[in-house]
Amino acid sequence: MADDRGQYSPGLIRMWRVFRTTREMMKDRGYALLDEDTQITLAEFADKYARDDGEADRSRLHFSCMPTEDMARKYTPLPTAKDPDPQPEIGKIWIEFNADENVGLKQLRDYMAHLVNGEYYSGIMVCIKPMTGMALRLLRGASGIAEGPKGGVEVFVEQDLLVNITKHELVPKHVLLSREEKDQLLKRYRLKETQLPRIQVTDPVAKYYGLRRGQVVKIIRRSETAGRYASYRWAI
């Protein structure tokens, strides 16, 4: 390894891995990030984000990004008579690394207020430990969504981002279909979306890609006989 990890604390190395996976996740979803944004070395991370005590300053890890044109297209509803020019259901996102050991209602409400005031479409909060039950209920309830950004809030625990699960050899490539591509798929095979195999939005890979209920993802697997073959999953 180019980085001499012996000179860095385990906590700093851990946060470097979490930060790098988070950036990779946003790029894989379709947000506008350069390759170098996801390939920060440990030495570069320490130089930019380490405190005097050698630990990572989570308050300096926050970042925002915008969807690419391709991502915006995939999140744009099909035109209708009532809405001939639909707008993308995606936009600027704010990713925050919360430094509190316990994240409850106060932290979540403050975070939602920041997203609304900053005109962010959605947000991701990365926490040290799982949120309290009351905070999670607020996230899942309709009243919570009304108080926050239009696109909602996702929550990840740092432990879940230590490794990029999509890089594992057993995880096939996932490609989100646009509304038009989904419609074409259903027409081609004369199917209803409910007839497709399903994937839970809570599935780790689905969560990594930020799949929403009703979306269809194309899964490309390797085959010794066919080379590659595709299957489809409907997110529920």
Side-chain angles (χ1 to χ4, degrees):
M1 293 291 294
D3 298 308
D4 181 7
R5 300 194 180 190
Q7 64 179 302
Y8 303 111
S9 72
L12 184 78
I13 296 173
R14 174 187 173 89
M15 283 311 302
W16 165 61
R17 294 172 63 187
V18 170
F19 181 75
R20 189 175 57 178
T21 299
T22 304
R23 292 237 177 180
E24 289 172 347
M25 179 174 71
M26 303 317 295
K27 187 175 189 299
D28 288 343
R29 289 187 180 193
Y31 287 95
L33 289 172
L34 301 174
D35 286 339
E36 49 262 39
D37 292 330
T38 66
Q39 296 169 357
I40 185 170
T41 67
L42 177 55
E44 291 169 340
F45 181 82
D47 183 61
K48 192 171 183 179
Y49 300 113
R51 302 186 308 231
D52 292 340
D53 63 1
E55 297 299 326
D57 185 350
R58 287 176 174 80
S59 67
R60 287 154 57 191
L61 301 182
H62 313 329
F63 66 96
S64 66
C65 44
M66 292 289 293
T68 60
E69 289 185 8
D70 183 60
M71 185 184 191
R73 178 183 64 84
K74 290 187 175 184
Y75 280 82
T76 301
L78 294 173
T80 64
K82 290 185 177 180
D83 187 7
D85 186 25
Q87 296 303 302
E89 295 176 347
I90 199 75
K92 184 170 63 170
I93 189 170
W94 175 257
I95 297 89
E96 184 166 306
F97 296 79
N98 191 281
D100 296 335
E101 281 289 327
N102 296 296
V103 176
L105 283 174
K106 180 184 183 303
Q107 291 91 338
L108 182 56
R109 290 187 187 279
D110 289 346
Y111 179 63
M112 285 182 168
H114 170 75
L115 296 176
V116 172
N117 294 334
E119 298 183 346
Y120 293 98
Y121 188 90
S122 57
I124 290 178
M125 181 184 282
V126 181
C127 305
I128 298 175
K129 296 179 181 179
M131 278 187 172
T132 64
M134 290 187 67
L136 288 174
R137 284 193 291 275
L138 172 64
L139 265 184
R140 294 167 183 160
S143 61
I145 299 302
E147 297 173 19
K150 186 175 182 180
V153 174
E154 298 173 64
V155 178
F156 286 84
V157 179
E158 289 178 2
Q159 179 70 31
D160 297 333
L161 295 170
L162 284 172
V163 175
N164 186 336
I165 58 173
T166 65
K167 291 186 176 182
H168 193 283
E169 61 180 5
L170 297 179
V171 177
K173 183 176 181 179
H174 288 60
V175 180
L176 176 66
L177 299 188
S178 67
R179 305 289 179 89
E180 184 178 2
E181 291 167 336
K182 171 186 172 181
D183 193 46
Q184 291 173 350
L185 173 72
L186 298 176
K187 287 180 179 179
R188 184 189 314 145
Y189 294 106
R190 298 180 181 178
L191 295 171
K192 296 179 180 179
E193 61 182 14
T194 53
Q195 294 175 293
L196 291 171
R198 303 178 179 189
I199 183 171
Q200 298 279 348
V201 293
T202 53
D203 177 274
V205 175
K207 191 174 180 183
Y208 178 91
Y209 285 108
L211 296 185
R212 299 176 183 174
R213 286 180 175 83
Q215 290 182 323
V216 172
V217 64
K218 180 180 182 179
I219 302 176
I220 304 171
R221 291 182 170 88
R222 294 179 181 177
S223 167
E224 293 183 1
T225 55
R228 295 194 309 172
Y229 72 95
S231 60
Y232 300 88
R233 295 288 185 273
W234 178 52
I236 61 170

